[in-house]
Amino acid sequence: MQRTVSSTIVLDITEPADLVFSIAAAGDYDLSTEHVTATLDGAPVSIAELTDVHATRLHRVQSGVGRLVMSYDATIEGTASPMARDDVELLTYLRPSRYAESDALAETSAAEFRGIQGAAELLTAVSSWVGTRLSYMPGSSLPTDGAVRTLLARRGVCRDYSHLCVALLRAQGVPARSVAVYAPGLDPMDFHAVAEAWVDGAWRAVDASALAPRSTLVRIATGRDAADTAFLNVLSGRAELVEISVTAVADELPNDDLDQLVSVL
């Protein structure tokens, strides 16, 4: 499978800012082409690249005042190797986190999914439950909303669907985490977020929004929740988002059977 992805983020920097972008394909893909650039008022800006334990590639930019344009494009050949298991990591993804409050949703999870046998069946049940109880409504949630608020509001975007799935799965004793991805087939096109759960010896994708085929997803960032996977973190200074554009194309768009276990590769 060949996938081509790109993104451009335009920011107005009103105070000198320290910024971290998560927009590059994760480090374990075979990239036939890739370009990462940053300009401030048209002049090149230096970029420092860091890689975390999940092969998430972070691009840090220290910018002066002006219009900053961060651009990325890549062509990905084939698929990545499955992500390895780490016992400490699995414990981390069983614990509550800022936007996936599994402790607060423990009783809800127990009541809704009691009696389900097997992690694979639980995965399907959680994905279906979240997908049927939430309405996908762009602009309906805040960046600070977590899984509890999402459930109460009964609406959200992909980030909110992911957080609710993660929280409900953790409450059932299944390690789960959030993954930011490029998603060929997504309409309207944007960055996308899905959940990932440890089932039958591998990390499996859970997309309760069902907006794009899971087998075409390209991993960008992996972590506990959006605090670890946001496409931009402003560490200091001030930056106003002016424009964002994302593309993701695959040479084939297969049907996605939501009852099947699929990994982000």
Side-chain angles (χ1 to χ4, degrees), residues 31-94:
L31 305 177
S32 59
T33 65
E34 184 181 49
H35 305 93
V36 187
T37 62
T39 61
L40 182 65
D41 293 335
V45 177
S46 62
I47 304 171
E49 180 171 319
L50 305 168
T51 304
D52 77 2
V53 294
H54 297 308
T56 300
R57 297 162 61 206
L58 307 172
H59 289 97
R60 188 172 186 177
V61 175
Q62 294 181 320
S63 174
V65 173
R67 176 151 291 189
L68 180 73
V69 180
M70 185 76 178
S71 296
Y72 176 78
D73 65 80
T75 300
I76 299 148
E77 302 291 347
T79 57
S81 299
M83 297 194 79
R85 164 182 172 165
D86 179 282
D87 288 338
V88 174
E89 175 184 272
L90 293 186
L91 286 176
T92 296
Y93 295 130
L94 281 169

Side-chain angles (χ1 to χ4, degrees), residues 200-248:
D200 290 352
W203 288 105
R204 310 294 188 175
V206 185
D207 186 3
S209 72
L211 291 175
R214 291 169 296 162
S215 61
T216 65
L217 302 179
V218 176
R219 184 186 304 273
I220 301 173
T222 307
R224 295 163 298 175
D225 52 36
D228 296 333
T229 62
F231 68 83
L232 171 64
N233 282 282
V234 181
L235 303 182
S236 64
R238 291 185 179 275
E240 178 183 347
L241 181 63
V242 176
E243 181 182 346
I244 181 170
S245 61
V246 179
T247 65

Side-chain angles (χ1 to χ4, degrees), residues 159-210:
R159 169 190 185 277
D160 307 303
Y161 280 61
S162 170
H163 287 156
L164 185 52
C165 286
V166 167
L168 294 171
L169 287 165
R170 288 179 187 170
Q172 288 291 306
V174 176
R177 61 193 188 184
S178 184
V179 184
V181 296
Y182 286 104
L186 187 67
D187 185 22
M189 184 55 65
D190 203 341
F191 291 117
H192 193 45
V194 300
E196 202 170 41
W198 183 260
V199 174
D200 290 352
W203 288 105
R204 310 294 188 175
V206 185
D207 186 3
S209 72

Side-chain angles (χ1 to χ4, degrees), residues 140-152:
S140 63
S141 59
L142 299 173
T144 53
D145 286 356
V148 171
R149 186 161 181 170
T150 295
L151 182 56
L152 292 173

